Amino acid sequence: MSNNEIKPVSKYPIVQAAAAFFNLGDSGKMDSFIGRAIKVLTNEIETLERSKSNEKHNLEAKLSELNERLEDAEDARDEAYLNFPPEKIKTNEEQRAYLDTYLENVNQKEAIILGIKKSIEEEQKASDAVIAQKDEQIAVRQKHLDKINKK
């Protein structure tokens, strides 16, 4: 067998191309190396997919808790709208005096609702950003895998 002949043919197309390019006869070490690279990339993709799944699960849990808080806050606001005790609004003067307290209470409840809605939005945006980053990382690793396995 001459130096120009390749002994066993690799199962990986990239190794076959490298062996032909470098005029190498032994592709076993290259097979081992590329096999290891494929295993690492595959494991990284699986880990990133699990991380995405965990992120989605954590977001669902956070949103569930925030939605419960929102529901409670909306109930408290609705109750605040109805909370004007008759003994405090008997006369016009009493009504004027109680009006600021009444509106302040309703405004406080509405501010709490807005804060919770903002928290929901922020949690969703943060989670979307994390998932998008994981998707980018997966795409890069998948591109590497595709290039290595390209025929």
Side-chain angles (χ1 to χ4, degrees), residues 22-41:
F22 290 117
N23 196 22
L24 299 174
D26 183 15
S27 62
K29 289 182 182 179
M30 289 188 291
D31 270 358
S32 174
F33 175 76
I34 293 301
R36 190 169 295 179
I38 289 171
K39 183 177 180 180
V40 166
L41 290 169

Side-chain angles (χ1 to χ4, degrees), residues 42-94:
T42 302
N43 286 342
E44 288 177 358
I45 289 172
E46 290 171 358
T47 299
L48 289 165
E49 289 290 352
R50 279 192 302 276
S51 180
K52 274 179 45 179
S53 178
N54 288 341
E55 180 64 30
K56 289 176 184 178
H57 174 75
N58 291 341
L59 175 64
E60 286 177 20
K62 288 176 188 174
L63 291 180
S64 176
E65 187 264 332
L66 286 169
N67 282 322
E68 286 177 9
R69 286 181 47 207
L70 179 61
E71 187 177 317
D72 290 344
E74 287 172 340
D75 288 346
R77 181 219 33 219
D78 293 345
E79 188 177 307
Y81 276 118
L82 302 174
N83 187 15
F84 45 92
E87 67 274 1
K88 293 191 178 188
I89 57 171
K90 290 180 184 174
T91 66
N92 287 337
E93 185 178 324
E94 287 175 338

Side-chain angles (χ1 to χ4, degrees), residues 89-125:
I89 57 171
K90 290 180 184 174
T91 66
N92 287 337
E93 185 178 324
E94 287 175 338
Q95 289 176 8
R96 278 191 296 275
Y98 186 70
L99 185 60
D100 287 340
T101 303
Y102 173 80
L103 292 176
E104 182 179 327
N105 188 30
V106 170
N107 287 335
Q108 286 176 345
K109 304 300 183 196
E110 195 64 46
I112 291 169
I113 290 170
L114 292 175
I116 294 170
K117 285 181 178 180
K118 185 173 182 173
S119 294
I120 289 171
E121 184 179 314
E122 289 171 353
E123 288 291 341
Q124 185 69 54
K125 282 182 182 178

